[in-house]
């Protein structure tokens, strides 16, 4: 299944850094995203866009993961020639990540 089936995302950007939080709808699904939505998988999933490091922060009390992605916005909002390759677009892209069906 795709991550969007059990979670939603919020995004922000500053300069050339994108910050995305993935938040489960139901707390019972948090162990699945904690296990399968790793910094390595997010970096691989967004490899054509995110050129720098990806750090993951676990916010278990909120049922959320926060990802800080460096060199992810083609130089930043004011420098990029992209129409909208910024935070919101990346948050939608991260939600297409495939994860195993919860049991």
């Amino acid at each position: 299944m795709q991550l969007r089936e059990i979670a939603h995302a919020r995004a922000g950007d500053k300069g050339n850094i994108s910050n995305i939080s993935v938040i489960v709808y139901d707390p019972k699904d948090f162990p699945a995203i904690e296990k399968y939505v790793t910094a390595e998988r997010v970096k691989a999933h967004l490899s054509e866009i995110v050129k720098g490091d990806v750090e993951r922060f676990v916010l278990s009390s909120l049922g959320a993961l926060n990802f800080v992605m460096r060199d992810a916005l083609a130089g930043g909002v004011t420098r990029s020639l992209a129409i909208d390759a910024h935070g919101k677009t990346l948050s939608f892209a991260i939600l297409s990540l495939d994860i195993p069906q919860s049991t």
Side-chain angles (χ1 to χ4, degrees):
M1 74 176 160
Q2 290 191 328
L3 181 56
R4 73 172 39 94
E5 295 177 45
I6 61 170
H8 61 100
R10 298 287 297 165
D13 50 67
K14 189 71 166 176
N16 200 19
I17 299 170
S18 182
N19 180 15
I20 298 176
S21 291
V22 176
I23 307 118
V24 292
Y25 296 118
D26 187 328
K28 74 172 178 53
D29 292 319
F30 183 71
I33 73 163
E34 187 175 24
K35 182 175 181 178
Y36 295 110
V37 186
T38 64
E40 295 79 18
R41 288 197 71 217
V42 168
K43 173 127 173 101
H45 185 65
L46 301 175
S47 65
E48 291 186 29
I49 299 167
V50 178
K51 303 302 181 193
D53 293 335
V54 174
E55 288 180 88
R56 182 181 87 160
F57 299 91
V58 177
L59 304 150
S60 54
S61 62
L62 299 175
L65 302 174
N66 182 261
F67 295 91
V68 176
M69 298 174 281
R70 291 175 174 35
D71 196 9
L73 301 173
V77 174
T78 58
R79 294 186 61 199
S80 173
L81 297 177
I83 294 173
D84 187 10
H86 310 301
K88 289 181 185 74
T89 302
L90 288 175
S91 70
F92 291 125
I94 202 170
L95 292 175
S96 68
L97 183 68
D98 288 322
I99 60 172
Q101 182 78 30
S102 297
T103 55

